[in-house]
Amino acid sequence: MHPLLLLPLLSLLPRAGGRGQLRAFVVAHSHMDVGWVYTVQESMHAYAANVYTSVVEELMKGKQRKFIAVEQEFFRLWWDAVATDTHKQQVHQLLQEGQLEFVIGGQVMHDEAVTLIDDQILQLTEGHGFLYETFGIRPQFSWHVDPFGASATTPTLFALAGFNAHLISRIDYDLKADMQKSKKLQFVWQGSPSLSEREEIFTHVMDQYSYCTPSQIPFSNRSGFYWNGIAAFPDPPKDGVYPNMSLPVTDSNIHLYAQTMVANIKERAGWFRTSDVLWPWGCDKQFFNASVQYSNMDLLLDYINKHSEEFGVTVQYATVGDYFQAVYSRNLTWEIRDSQDFLPYSSEPFQAWTGFYTSRSTLKGIARRASSLLYAGESFFTQYVQKHPASSICKCKALKQLQSLRWAVSEVQHHDGITGTESPKVKDMYMNNLMYGMFNVKKLMASIIFDMNNAKKNGEVYSSVYNKDSGIPGATDVDQYVVVYNPLAWNITTFVSVSVSHSAMSVYDELGHSVPAQVQNSAESYSTYDLYILVAISGLSYRKYHVKPLDGKQSAFVGSSVKYKRKDITPADQQSRRLFPVGNNCYQVLFDQNTNLMHSITERETNQTIQLTQEFLEYHVNGDVMKGPISDNYLFAPNASAVPVSKAVELEVVSGNLMTETRQYFYSNVTAQDYIYAVYTRMYTVPEGYNGKLLCHRIEQEYRVGPLELNREAVLRTSTNLNTRQLLYTDSNGYQIQKRLFKAYLNNTVARNYYPMVQTAYIEDDTTRLMLLAERAHGVSSQGNGQVEVMLHRRLWNNLQWGLNYSLTLNDSSVVHPVIWLILGTKAATNILYKTSGLALEHRPVVMFGALSGDKPKLPRQLQQNSVHSSPVAVPPNLHLQTLSIPGWRYSSNHAEQVLSVRMGKQKQGDADFSRVLLRIRHLYEVGEDPVLSQPVMINLKSLLKGLGSVVLVEERSLTGIWDVNTLKRWKWKTAQYPSKGFSNSTETSENYIVTVHPKEIRTFFVYFQGQ
C-alpha cells in the first residue's frame, strides 16, 4: 500500500510503523445547541456571539489556524446583529483561504429519530440558501456528532444535498466497541434500498471519545485543552476569568501536554484503517475566548511537530473537509452498509435513549402542525403570486410572514428541540416562536382569500357569494363562511370539523347546493356541538362553505347518542360475550358489552376478522438515583412490565348517516369520579357520488391522556391474534420503512426494543397487516406476539443533580390529544392506502373561518371562475408534491456568476426574488413494493403547473437548491461493488419539461413562469 502523501512537508518525515507517520487533524469546533438548557437569546448573550467574534479575529492572526462553523441559526444572528463590516470582510477572506469551513450548513443539527424528512430538508435548505447567497459556498460534509442515534434517511438526505462524506457519533455503546475493535467505524452507507449506490455516502463513526477533547491530563487535577474554561451564564465575566480554565502551556509542562495528546492520537489511530486521525478540539459552548485557545494550542502543535520523529506523529489544524480529503486520497476499498439504521441508541447498559421518542408530546404535535401549516401557506402564496402579479398584498411582507414560520419550524428540529429534551423555558421559546409563525401564516392566508374575494380586478369581481335566501331571519350582507384549502396535489374527500353552538345547521357550497354534514354533541365540551362537513376539493385548491343555523330538510344529520353504563373490565367469571357492531362499508368493529372494550375488526372486502383489543397501561419508573436506573427526558428505564390503568370503562356511541363515533372513558375503578384516559374512535360512511376510498378505509382514533401521576409513562397497547413473531415495522422520518426484530438483551430489554414512529408503524402475519399512522412522533414497540404499543405521554421527576441543575426533569402535567389512524387489510391493499393516507393525516385541510362580504349574487358561470380552485394541480398517487414555494433567495443559478457577484461585493440587500419557484417531487414507493405504484413515473412539469401560468424555464437542482445537478460531481468512494473511484453524477436531466421520477427519488427544480 502506498500512502498518497498530500503535503510536501510529510514526504520529508520518516515513516513510523507500517502505515507511515500518524497525522492528526486537529478540528477546532464549538458545539452550540440551538436551545436545550438556555434560550437562543441567553446563549447569544453569554457565549455564542463571542465565539464568532473571537474566532474570526484569531483566525486572522495565523494562516495555519482553522475552525469549523456548524449551526446557522447562531451564525446568522451574529452576522445580522453583531458582526462589524470588518468582521464580514474577514469571514469572506477566511472562507476563501480554507481557514473557516461551514459543515452541515443547516439552521440546526437536526434530530434524526423523531423529525420528518420534509422538516429536515426545510432547515437544511434554509441554512444553505443563506450561505450560498451570502458567500457563494456550498457545504459538503456533515458533522452529526450529537443526535441520539442515527437514521438511515440522513445519509440519503446529505447525499442528495451534494455532500461527499457524513459523520455520526452516538450509536449503541456495545456496537461501537465492536466496530472500533475491528476497524469498521468507516464505511460506505447505502441508506436507501431503492436509490442504493446512486445516493450512497462515505460515513465516519466517531470513536469512543466522540466530539469532545479528552480532558483528562495526568499532570493536573484540572481538565486539559480547554484553556478558555467553560461558558458562564447569564453574563460573561467582566474580568475574562471563566470557571475551570485549563493550565496554560508553559516550558515546564509542554512536554507533558504533548505526551498526553500524542498518546491519545495513537490510541485512536489503532481503531481506524488509515494513518489519518481526526482529533476534535472543542466541546459544548467552547471558543468564546478563541485567543487563549489558539495561543496555547499553537505552542503545543509546534512542539509536537518539532519532535515528530520522537513522537511518531505530526499534527495540524484542519477542517472536517481536510480530514475527509486525506482519507479519500488513500484510495482504499470500503465496506458497504445497507439501509439498516443505528436506532435505538443506548449509551450504557441501563441507558436506553428511547424516552425522548415521546417526551413533550404537545410540543411534538405543535411542531408538526406548524410544519403542515407552512406547507399549505407556501403553496397558497406561490399560486397567488403567479396568478395575481398586480396584487394588493405586499409580497415582501408576505414573505417575511412565511419566513418567520420557516425559521421557527427549522429551529425546533434541533436535537434538543422536538425531542422534548430541553428545559421548560426553552420549550416555551420553541412554542412561542412556532405560535408566532403560525399566526403570521394564518393571517397571510386569510388576507389572500380576502383579497381574492373582495377586489375588483380587470373589471372582473372575484366574489363567491351565492343567491341569498331572503327568508333567513337575521341574514345580513355578511355571511359566515368556512374556507377549506387542500394543500395536497391530489383530489381529496374528507371531513372537516367545526365547533358550533346549535344542533340545527345547514351547509351550502359556492353554488348554493346543500353539502352533506353531521352535527353532534361535543365529546370534550357540554356547551358546543361538533359539525362535520364532507368536503371534496381538488389539488392545491380551496372551497368556501356557507354555514348557517337552519332547521329544515336541508339541515345536517344529527348524530344520536347511546350511552352504555360503566363496566368492570376485570370480572372473575367470563360470562358469555354480548357483542354489538359498529361499522361502515369497509369495516365492522365489534364491541364487547360486558367490558365496553373493542373485541374484533372485520375487513368487509376479504371478510377477514382479527381479534383486536386496546387498553391503556403505565410503566412505573424509578425517580431516585440511589435506587437504580431512572427515566428522564432522554432515557426510558422501566422497572417492571407495564400495569393496566383502569378497571372500568364507560362507553358512548354517537351514530349518524355519515359518521359513527364511539367514546370510551377509562376509569381507575367503577366508582371513580374522573377519568385520565379516553379514546374517541370515528368511522365514516360516504354517500353516493363521492370518492370515499381513503375515508372509508380508516378508523380514526383520538386519545385523551393526562394529567399523569409522577413517574408514569402511558402507553396504548393494541393486542391482536395476528401471528407477527414480534416483528414490528416503523418508518424512518416518514421516508422509508425499517424492519424491527425483537431482541433480547441482558439488561433493559423493554426499553431497548422501543423505536421511533414518526408517521407509520405496522405489524403483520402472512396475509393481514394492521397499520398505525400518526400526526406526531411516538415511541413504539412490540412487547408480545401480535401486539403493538404506542407511548403517548410521560411525566417524570428524579433527583439526579445534573438534571435538577438544568431543570431537565420532564414534570409534564399536561393533557395530550394525539391522533392515530388504523388501517387493516391485506398487504397489497394496505400498500396502496398507507402512503396517501399518511400524507392525508399529515396535511389535513386548512380550515379558516370568516365573514366575507361581497357584491350581489353572480351567475353560476362566473362562480366557476373562483380564483384558486379553477386550476387544480394534481400528481399521480405514487408521487407527492413535496414543496411548492417561493424561497426568495437572490443568488444566481449560475455558480460562476454567483461566486463573481459575491467577490465583487454585489450581494447587497435588495428585494427578494419572487420569480423563482422551488418545486420538489418525491416518489413515495420503494422498488418492488407494489406491482403498479413502484413503477417510474413520467411527468410533464409544464402541464402539471399550467394552472399557475406558463412555464418558460425549468432548472434541475440539488436537494437544497444550491447545485445545478449537471455540475454536481460527488466523490465516489471505492467499494468491492464499485472498484473504480471517481465522481458520481446521479440524475438524468429533464428534456422539454418531461421528467421521469424513479422509486424513492426526491427531485428538486427551480421553475420560472412567463411574465414573472
Side-chain angles (χ1 to χ4, degrees):
M1 174 196 131
H2 54 287
L4 288 170
L5 300 170
L6 292 181
L7 298 181
L9 157 85
L10 285 187
S11 54
L12 309 173
L13 296 166
R15 293 176 53 137
R19 295 187 298 168
Q21 183 125 21
L22 293 182
R23 180 169 162 216
F25 292 77
V26 177
V27 176
H29 75 99
S30 179
H31 182 68
M32 300 159 76
D33 284 300
V34 183
W36 189 35
V37 176
Y38 302 103
T39 65
V40 168
Q41 290 70 23
E42 287 174 324
S43 297
M44 281 298 287
H45 175 72
Y47 83 94
N50 290 340
V51 171
Y52 290 114
T53 301
S54 72
V55 163
V56 167
E57 288 167 2
E58 287 308 307
L59 291 179
M60 293 304 293
K61 294 178 186 169
K63 282 266 182 271
Q64 79 287 6
R65 294 174 172 181
K66 296 194 175 190
F67 188 82
I68 60 166
V70 189
E71 302 80 3
Q72 286 311 297
E73 177 158 337
F74 282 128
F75 182 81
R76 290 173 73 175
L77 289 169
W78 175 78
W79 183 260
D80 289 341
V82 181
T84 62
D85 286 347
T86 306
H87 286 139
K88 291 183 177 184
Q89 279 170 327
Q90 290 171 337
V91 169
H92 280 281
Q93 186 184 332
L94 293 166
L95 285 167
Q96 259 179 48
E97 296 182 0
Q99 287 181 256
L100 179 64
E101 178 175 81
F102 286 108
V103 294
I104 311 178
Q107 288 290 93
V108 298
M109 185 185 294
H110 71 250
D111 167 68
E112 299 195 33
V114 298
T115 46
L116 199 56
I117 186 169
D118 310 56
D119 301 327
Q120 297 177 355
I121 294 170
L122 170 77
Q123 71 85 21
L124 203 58
T125 304
E126 191 60 24
H128 283 191
F130 164 77
L131 287 173
Y132 194 53
E133 179 173 281
T134 314
F135 306 112
I137 64 140
R138 306 181 282 202
Q140 288 175 40
F141 303 99
S142 106
W143 180 256
H144 259 221
V145 297
D146 202 31
F148 321 136
S151 152
T153 301
T154 311
T156 305
L157 186 83
F158 287 157
L160 289 167
F163 286 16
N164 287 318
H166 177 36
L167 182 147
I168 61 177
S169 182
R170 291 187 184 268
I171 66 170
D172 264 346
Y173 68 98
D174 40 6
L175 179 60
K176 183 178 276 199
D178 288 349
M179 291 170 77
Q180 213 166 254
K181 213 160 38 187
S182 55
K183 298 192 182 185
K184 292 193 170 169
L185 290 169
Q186 293 171 318
F187 47 85
V188 170
W189 197 354
Q190 297 182 350
S192 159
S194 296
L195 300 175
S196 62
E197 76 281 353
R198 279 192 301 147
E199 301 303 341
E200 68 189 15
I201 192 165
F202 180 80
T203 303
H204 171 105
V205 184
M206 285 186 144
D207 58 46
Q208 68 190 44
Y209 291 104
S210 195
Y211 65 88
C212 289
T213 315
S215 59
Q216 274 323 105
I217 47 174
F219 52 92
S220 158
N221 55 7
R222 276 195 247 170
S223 62
F225 308 101
Y226 293 94
W227 293 287
N228 60 193
I230 53 178
F233 285 80
D235 301 305
K238 296 255 187 297
D239 58 3
V241 177
Y242 283 82
N244 203 19
M245 295 171 81
S246 298
L247 284 176
V249 174
T250 60
D251 289 348
S252 60
N253 68 18
I254 193 163
H255 191 72
L256 298 170
Y257 254 123
Q259 280 178 323
T260 305
M261 185 169 177
V262 166
N264 183 260
I265 289 166
K266 287 183 168 171
E267 183 186 10
R268 290 172 136 165
W271 300 325
F272 292 92
R273 290 178 57 201
T274 77
S275 51
D276 314 294
V277 180
L278 177 65
W279 206 78
W281 174 38
C283 197
D284 292 36
K285 310 179 191 64
Q286 281 294 304
F287 285 86
F288 45 84
N289 177 355
S291 165
V292 63
Q293 290 281 82
Y294 284 110
S295 57
N296 281 284
M297 190 56 98
D298 283 352
L299 298 169
L300 188 51
L301 298 191
D302 284 350
Y303 183 85
I304 293 172
N305 286 337
K306 282 203 183 81
H307 300 85
S308 63
E309 272 190 53
E310 173 193 338
F311 287 127
V313 169
T314 63
V315 285
Q316 65 190 75
Y317 287 118
T319 62
V320 181
D322 295 335
Y323 170 72
F324 280 127
Q325 178 71 64
V327 176
Y328 182 62
S329 303
R330 299 281 177 192
N331 207 13
L332 300 186
T333 300
W334 300 97
E335 279 189 13
I336 290 174
R337 181 182 177 88
D338 64 10
S339 58
Q340 193 54 48
D341 63 9
F342 292 96
L343 288 163
Y345 159 62
S346 286
S347 51
E348 286 173 33
F350 284 100
Q351 297 195 342
W353 297 48
T354 56
F356 81 89
Y357 301 159
T358 306
S359 296
R360 299 203 191 281
S361 179
T362 302
L363 175 64
K364 285 177 164 63
I366 294 283
R368 287 272 281 276
R369 289 275 61 75
S371 161
S372 178
L373 179 65
L374 176 62
Y375 174 76
E378 296 279 15
S379 65
F380 204 61
F381 176 65
T382 302
Q383 293 183 81
Y384 176 72
V385 168
Q386 297 308 325
K387 296 176 188 178
H388 303 275
S391 65
S392 64
I393 289 177
C394 166
K395 289 191 295 199
C396 289
K397 183 187 169 197
L399 190 61
K400 283 203 169 64
Q401 289 174 309
L402 284 167
Q403 281 167 339
S404 70
L405 190 52
R406 288 176 193 170
W407 187 283
V409 172
S410 295
E411 174 185 79
V412 80
Q413 307 311 314
H414 170 64
H415 58 268
D416 282 301
I418 195 167
T419 50
T421 55
E422 64 282 283
S423 64
K425 66 179 172 187
V426 173
K427 181 258 298 177
D428 293 342
M429 174 196 79
Y430 292 129
M431 286 289 249
N432 292 341
N433 291 348
L434 289 165
M435 297 309 248
Y436 173 70
M438 288 169 84
F439 173 74
N440 281 334
V441 170
K442 282 178 183 163
K443 209 159 66 175
L444 170 62
M445 292 179 80
S447 60
I448 288 175
I449 287 169
F450 196 73
D451 185 56
M452 291 196 296
N453 280 284
N454 291 351
K456 286 191 169 56
K457 299 201 189 68
N458 313 328
E460 191 182 353
V461 177
Y462 286 90
S463 154
S464 317
V465 177
Y466 55 82
N467 190 358
K468 289 195 209 66
D469 178 348
S470 53
I472 305 169
T476 64
D477 266 2
V478 176
D479 272 331
Q480 287 301 314
Y481 282 94
V482 177
V483 177
V484 185
Y485 176 62
N486 167 24
L488 290 165
W490 308 306
N491 298 344
I492 61 158
T493 303
T494 191
F495 281 92
V496 296
S497 77
V498 180
S499 202
V500 292
S501 53
H502 304 277
S503 62
M505 303 298 287
S506 294
V507 183
Y508 300 95
D509 67 12
E510 301 92 338
L511 298 175
H513 298 145
S514 176
V515 174
Q518 179 171 321
V519 69
Q520 58 200 39
N521 65 330
S522 166
E524 295 272 310
S525 147
Y526 295 116
S527 57
T528 59
Y529 295 88
D530 294 332
L531 173 65
Y532 285 83
I533 304 169
L534 181 64
V535 298
I537 312 178
S538 37
L540 267 53
S541 305
Y542 77 84
R543 304 253 336 241
K544 281 167 45 184
Y545 298 93
H546 184 197
V547 176
K548 44 181 160 180
L550 177 73
D551 242 339
K553 65 178 196 310
Q554 298 287 6
S555 61
F557 301 117
V558 178
S560 60
S561 160
V562 178
K563 290 187 175 166
Y564 296 82
K565 69 174 200 287
R566 203 178 299 185
K567 296 286 169 60
D568 187 339
I569 59 173
T570 54
D573 58 320
Q574 274 297 330
Q575 62 256 64
S576 61
R577 289 193 188 282
R578 291 180 303 151
L579 305 175
F580 67 92
V582 170
N584 64 7
N585 298 334
C586 297
Y587 300 114
Q588 173 175 279
V589 178
L590 291 179
F591 282 85
D592 184 339
Q593 269 184 309
N594 296 333
T595 60
N596 287 339
L597 293 174
M598 208 180 269
H599 169 269
S600 61
I601 303 180
T602 302
E603 202 273 315
R604 293 191 193 270
E605 205 174 332
T606 56
N607 210 18
Q608 179 92 10
T609 299
I610 67 163
Q611 308 291 310
L612 187 147
T613 57
Q614 291 183 310
E615 60 175 339
F616 290 106
L617 301 98
E618 287 175 349
Y619 286 99
H620 293 204
V621 296
N622 165 43
D624 184 351
V625 289
M626 304 312 287
K627 290 186 180 156
I630 53 158
S631 272
D632 64 14
N633 299 44
Y634 308 86
L635 310 176
F636 173 39
N639 51 22
S641 300
V643 183
V645 292
S646 65
K647 295 200 167 69
V649 178
E650 210 168 87
L651 175 67
E652 181 183 3
V653 179
V654 182
S655 46
N657 297 29
L658 299 176
M659 179 180 85
T660 304
E661 179 175 80
T662 57
R663 300 169 179 174
Q664 292 165 290
Y665 303 96
F666 292 75
Y667 291 88
S668 54
N669 58 55
V670 179
T671 56
Q673 287 297 299
D674 297 313
Y675 58 90
I676 291 177
Y677 294 90
V679 184
Y680 310 121
T681 304
R682 300 181 195 103
M683 294 165 73
Y684 301 101
T685 303
V686 184
E688 287 295 306
Y690 285 87
N691 173 5
K693 186 177 160 186
L694 285 188
L695 201 47
C696 180
H697 278 99
R698 66 179 181 242
I699 298 171
E700 295 186 3
Q701 292 198 311
E702 181 185 333
Y703 312 104
R704 180 214 176 275
V705 181
L708 300 177
E709 289 176 45
L710 269 179
N711 291 325
R712 297 285 188 270
E713 317 216 13
V715 301
L716 175 83
R717 182 176 290 167
T718 302
S719 305
T720 70
N721 61 344
L722 296 175
N723 178 21
T724 61
R725 299 182 292 284
Q726 249 179 301
L727 250 183
L728 174 68
Y729 296 83
T730 66
D731 71 317
S732 173
N733 311 106
Y735 178 65
Q736 60 193 34
I737 296 288
Q738 291 274 346
K739 184 176 180 173
R740 309 297 193 183
L741 299 152
F742 189 90
K743 299 183 186 129
Y745 295 96
L746 206 54
N747 302 308
N748 224 12
T749 293
V750 170
R752 287 186 82 172
N753 279 285
Y754 254 80
Y755 294 94
M757 164 197 193
V758 177
Q759 240 179 3
T760 312
Y762 63 86
I763 54 173
E764 63 185 19
D765 65 9
D766 297 336
T767 57
T768 308
R769 181 183 285 169
L770 173 68
M771 303 212 70
L772 283 67
L773 301 173
E775 39 75 77
R776 71 187 71 179
H778 299 279
V780 64
S781 186
S782 179
Q783 296 285 336
N785 190 23
Q787 283 182 3
V788 56
E789 69 183 34
V790 180
M791 192 179 286
L792 298 175
H793 202 12
R794 324 175 68 218
R795 184 181 181 187
L796 308 166
W797 189 89
N798 64 68
N799 56 7
L800 179 67
Q801 205 48 53
W802 175 85
L804 293 173
N805 293 348
Y806 290 139
S807 47
L808 293 175
T809 51
L810 201 69
N811 187 359
D812 181 351
S813 58
S814 63
V815 176
V816 297
H817 294 86
V819 171
I820 287 180
W821 290 358
L822 307 179
I823 298 177
L824 177 71
T826 61
K827 293 179 189 182
T830 54
N831 251 348
I832 292 168
L833 294 165
Y834 88 92
K835 311 267 189 195
T836 37
S837 297
L839 284 159
L841 173 55
E842 189 64 39
H843 298 298
R844 285 168 286 185
V846 177
V847 179
M848 288 166 282
F849 309 97
L852 293 170
S853 61
D855 283 22
K856 284 297 167 211
K858 293 283 164 271
L859 298 171
R861 189 180 51 77
Q862 285 161 293
L863 276 173
Q864 296 301 334
Q865 297 166 349
N866 184 11
S867 46
V868 169
H869 76 278
S870 54
S871 46
V873 177
V875 296
N878 49 357
L879 295 187
H880 170 45
L881 186 79
Q882 183 154 327
T883 309
L884 182 68
S885 75
I886 295 176
W889 302 118
R890 297 182 305 275
Y891 58 72
S892 166
S893 298
N894 177 310
H895 184 60
E897 260 176 41
Q898 175 59 14
V899 170
L900 188 68
S901 85
V902 169
R903 297 249 162 106
M904 306 288 286
K906 287 186 184 152
Q907 286 302 102
K908 293 286 171 271
Q909 289 301 310
D911 275 348
D913 178 358
F914 291 94
S915 66
R916 173 187 291 157
V917 171
L918 174 64
L919 169 74
R920 286 194 191 94
I921 294 175
R922 162 152 69 107
H923 198 302
L924 294 171
Y925 284 81
E926 297 282 0
V927 169
E929 190 177 354
D930 182 89
V932 177
L933 297 168
S934 291
Q935 297 303 316
V937 186
M938 263 172 93
I939 192 159
N940 183 326
L941 299 180
K942 200 177 172 83
S943 58
L944 174 71
L945 300 172
K946 66 176 187 294
L948 277 74
S950 175
V951 173
V952 290
L953 176 64
V954 172
E955 300 167 338
E956 181 154 10
R957 308 292 289 184
S958 62
L959 184 68
T960 60
I962 57 179
W963 290 88
D964 171 348
V965 291
N966 299 305
T967 62
L968 173 56
K969 302 271 189 279
R970 293 196 309 120
W971 296 353
K972 183 86 185 147
W973 296 72
K974 235 165 62 169
T975 60
Q977 199 176 338
Y978 295 92
S980 68
K981 198 181 84 174
F983 294 98
S984 68
N985 194 352
S986 56
T987 37
E988 51 190 83
T989 331
S990 41
E991 287 299 310
N992 27 340
Y993 311 114
I994 293 175
V995 184
T996 302
V997 188
H998 293 273
K1000 280 295 162 199
E1001 282 188 339
I1002 302 175
R1003 303 286 286 276
T1004 304
F1005 306 93
F1006 287 162
V1007 181
Y1008 303 87
F1009 292 87
Q1010 190 152 14
Q1012 277 292 335

